[in-house]
Structure formats: C-alpha cells, structure tokens
Amino acid sequence: MKEALYGELSVIGMRGCEEFANQVDYYLKEWRRHDNDGTFLVNSSCPRFGSGEAKGTIHQSLRGNDVYIICDVFNHGVTYEMYGKTVPMSPDDHFQDLKRIIGAIGGKARRISVIMPMLYEGRQHKRSGRESLDCALALQELVNMGVTNLITFDAHDPRVQNSIPLSGFEDVRSTYQMIKAMLRTYPDIEIDPENTMIISPDEGGMGKCMYYSSVMGIDLGMFYKRRDYSKIVNGKNPIVAHEYLGRDVSGKDVIIVDDMISSGESVIDVARQLKDKGAKRIFVFATFGLFCNGFENLDAAYDDGVINKIFTTNLVYRTPELLAREWYAEVNMCKYVAYIVDTLNHDRTISHLLDQSKKIHNILEKHKAKK
C-alpha cells in the first residue's frame, strides 16, 4: 500500500542555493521515481528594479502543496544591480527575498517549511543592555507569515526557539557527517582516549563538544575566553587570551569543534596553544565556514603545521578560493537534508534522523574493525 503524502512536494531554492537544491532534488527523484517524472523544484524568482527594490514571483501554482524553501542568508556570492552599481547580497537582502517568496505563495500552500541552515541573526539571540532581539523577531515574522516549521543546523543558541513556542523548530546536528568525512580523509586516525581528544574553543560550545566526546568515547578539554569588557571592537568585546582547561594533549590528535568560523583568529589561537602543549595533528570541525576576513591567516597556520584540516559543511556559500585550499575539506549535507524533507513530507517523525548516536557508533565500529 502506497503511503500518503501530507501534500504534493515542492522545493524552492532561493538565490545562491540552486546547486544545493538541485542535489536535494536529485535524491528525492531517485527515491520517488514513480511519483514525479520531472522535478520537485519550483520555478521562482526575485527580480529587482534599478533602485534595488524587488518582488517575489512564483511561476506555477502551489495550491495545496507541501512547500520547503531552502535559504542561505549568508551567501555573499550573489549580487544585484542598484543605481548602476553591482551590490553583493547581504543577510538582510536574502531574508527579505525569503519573505517575498512566502508572500508570493499567498497562503495557498498547505504547509510551508523553511530550511535555513545558518539562522538569520542567530548570534543576536539575547539582549545585553538596550539591544534589539533580531533573531526572535525574524522567527516571529516568519511564523506570522504562515511558516509552520523552521529547520536549522547547529544553532548558536537553540533557546531562541522560545520566541515561537507553538511552531516547529528543528535544530539539526551535523555530527555524523563530520565524523564520517574525517574518517574517510584520515583512515589512519585512532578514535580512543589514548590517541584522540575533543576540544571546545570556548564555554559556549561545551554542549556540542560533550556530545562528540560521549558518542566517540574520548576525553574532552576546553578553552575559556578572557575578554576586555571595557572595549567594543567590530561589535563585540575583544578576546584578551584563551585559557586551557583539561587533560594533557601531548602526542594526541585533537579535534576542535565549533559552530562557525568567522575570521578564524580564535581557532588559530587555540590551535597554536594546543601545538605548544604537544598536540600531534589538529583538525577543526565547523558547521559553517564564513571566513569573513579571507584566508591569509589560515594559510599561514597551515604552512606552519598548526592546523592539518578544516571541515565545514556545504550548507552555506563557499568561495572557489576556499574550495581550492589544501587545508579545507567539504562535508556534503544534501542527502541528509533530502532525508529530512522526504520524511516530513510523509508526515512522519524525524527523531531517528536527529538522533545520530547509533549511526556514529556503527561507523566507529567499522573504522576500528579495519585496523
């Protein structure tokens, strides 16, 4: 008996997400060969006027459909023309285009889910003094426009979902895919307490690192950031020093785990300290690699033997220059996202997809068996 769908499946890839959406569509078509002869992708666009204003357009009917919109608000590789000048799209521009597409659907879809891998304004999740709560406002705005579910990855602080308590908010981990990519790249690595350690670069990432430590069965260490709270540089208090807390790392392979790399300065400082303490090889797991200040500092760290490899996902835009770096390895998340879309479209629970412990244990057992 054929299982019923919640509604006819439609996938929209916002500007800059075309390649990612195409891969998701490929897997969905492979799994549903008899359900769709063409594509699950929706023909949509956000054309702009010379002033920089825009409108969202849907080129087919979505009445009664189960719609999934993939949006990378941090893709600065797409541009538009404004007053004769070429302007890169900012997170604000992407978020506005997302709302335009939702507005173009006009409430006709049966359900709208937004897949936003890195949460818009996710780092502005709490108030310090007289500040705006941008992430909470954005989530409420999407829900008020008719979005039922929001799916994000490794949220900077998942407690921001408290701003939309009656709506779906899924914070998905990339743990399994990261470990799998590392084992494929370095088949000689030994995952045990004597040879490997997990390191958190700050206290905020301890929860994520505790999960890695538990499922991999290895020790955990951390750094805490001493900041100068009398100054504000680039919108934040500058870091004075990173202080290490944990067991000896001498002779061990070390995995630094963080949710994102912005400038790369913090992770390089942490890596250098670990090298000074005798660490063997240093790998970095970061779900999102933004590399806002370019690659010179990371190139130098790699040339100095401080960092061996940085693993980031393809959930956000990666420049051609980044993809060409020897120290960089991409972790493809398209199939995982396709699994989530396929499962939700059948209106089934995704708990088994969110809990990756069993899959991690299986891949680690296979890795040890090859030794």
Side-chain angles (χ1 to χ4, degrees):
M1 181 178 176
K2 191 174 180 180
E3 191 173 1
L5 305 176
Y6 185 85
E8 185 177 338
L9 176 59
S10 295
V11 177
I12 298 176
M14 298 297 295
R15 281 199 68 191
C17 295
E18 294 88 352
E19 182 182 348
F20 192 97
N22 283 333
Q23 289 191 53
V24 171
D25 183 54
Y26 166 79
Y27 287 113
L28 292 172
K29 289 188 294 186
E30 280 288 301
W31 302 333
R32 302 185 180 191
R33 291 182 180 179
H34 304 294
D35 290 355
N36 191 289
D37 296 327
T39 177
F40 293 102
L41 296 177
V42 174
N43 186 10
S44 64
S45 61
C46 285
R48 288 186 178 265
F49 304 102
S51 62
E53 297 169 294
K55 63 180 179 180
T57 306
I58 301 291
H59 302 285
Q60 64 194 71
S61 173
L62 295 180
R63 186 179 294 275
N65 287 20
D66 191 14
V67 181
Y68 294 82
I69 307 175
I70 303 173
C71 181
D72 172 17
V73 297
F74 292 88
N75 192 326
H76 58 94
V78 290
T79 60
Y80 62 92
E81 295 294 318
M82 184 171 71
Y83 292 99
K85 299 178 182 179
T86 301
V87 182
M89 287 187 69
S90 70
D92 292 343
D93 291 322
H94 283 291
F95 187 66
Q96 285 298 117
D97 276 2
L98 170 63
K99 292 190 292 181
R100 290 180 177 112
I101 290 298
I102 296 172
I105 295 172
K108 303 300 191 297
R110 188 174 182 189
R111 179 170 64 184
I112 297 176
S113 300
V114 170
I115 301 173
M116 187 182 291
M118 187 171 177
L119 205 56
Y120 174 70
E121 294 287 1
R123 285 183 284 178
Q124 187 54 26
H125 61 282
K126 62 181 179 180
R127 178 174 282 153
S128 299
R130 298 182 181 91
E131 294 181 346
S132 57
L133 291 172
D134 299 69
C135 190
L137 287 172
L139 293 177
Q140 290 179 353
E141 196 169 3
L142 291 178
V143 167
N144 290 336
M145 292 186 74
V147 173
T148 305
N149 299 314
L150 194 134
I151 301 153
T152 190
F153 286 77
D154 290 319
H156 189 71
D157 190 336
R159 288 175 296 183
V160 74
Q161 67 185 288
N162 292 339
S163 62
I164 49 169
L166 299 181
S167 300
F169 183 99
E170 303 295 347
D171 181 27
V172 186
R173 287 180 170 143
S174 57
T175 312
Y176 170 73
Q177 287 78 11
M178 286 287 188
I179 295 172
K180 184 178 180 181
M182 183 186 67
L183 295 180
R184 283 182 173 178
T185 309
Y186 294 93
D188 64 315
I189 191 169
E190 297 184 50
I191 308 296
D192 58 56
E194 287 73 36
N195 295 286
T196 320
M197 274 190 73
I198 294 289
I199 299 292
S200 175
D202 55 43
E203 56 274 25
M206 276 298 288
K208 187 185 287 82
C209 290
M210 286 169 65
Y211 180 76
Y212 270 97
S213 173
S214 298
V215 296
M216 297 178 74
I218 55 181
D219 288 329
L220 168 65
M222 70 162 285
F223 284 80
Y224 71 91
K225 296 175 180 177
R226 284 202 292 114
R227 294 182 180 272
D228 184 353
Y229 288 98
S230 65
K231 300 178 183 177
I232 296 179
V233 179
N234 295 327
K236 57 186 179 182
N237 302 109
I239 299 168
V240 176
H242 290 91
E243 305 288 349
Y244 177 67
L245 296 172
R247 296 183 64 180
D248 184 18
V249 299
S250 180
K252 296 181 180 179
D253 288 328
V254 171
I255 304 169
I256 302 172
V257 180
D258 209 351
D259 58 344
M260 62 170 290
I261 295 176
S262 181
S263 66
E265 292 177 0
S266 292
V267 75
I268 290 173
D269 186 30
V270 166
R272 288 191 185 278
Q273 289 200 46
L274 291 170
K275 269 294 180 183
D276 291 341
K277 295 178 187 298
K280 185 180 174 184
R281 292 179 295 187
I282 295 181
F283 311 115
V284 180
F285 288 175
T287 310
F288 310 110
L290 302 183
F291 304 103
C292 300
N293 297 351
F295 310 111
E296 289 186 10
N297 54 352
L298 290 159
D299 289 338
Y302 176 72
D303 292 338
D304 293 343
V306 174
I307 290 175
N308 292 81
K309 191 73 75 174
I310 295 179
F311 296 85
T312 78
T313 69
N314 64 335
L315 291 168
V316 295
Y317 175 64
R318 291 97 50 234
T319 63
E321 293 78 14
L322 173 63
L323 297 175
R325 290 303 197 272
E326 289 185 9
W327 46 261
Y328 177 71
E330 178 182 280
V331 180
N332 194 314
M333 300 292 290
C334 294
K335 191 173 184 179
Y336 190 30
V337 170
Y339 273 130
I340 292 172
V341 170
D342 182 59
T343 305
L344 290 177
N345 183 228
H346 284 93
D347 218 22
R348 297 197 304 259
T349 178
I350 60 171
S351 297
H352 64 290
L353 294 175
L354 300 180
D355 184 6
Q356 302 178 338
S357 303
K358 188 177 293 186
K359 293 181 69 176
I360 293 171
H361 287 145
N362 288 340
I363 196 173
L364 291 176
E365 288 299 323
K366 291 179 180 178
H367 177 72
K368 290 178 181 178
K370 292 178 182 178
K371 294 291 183 182

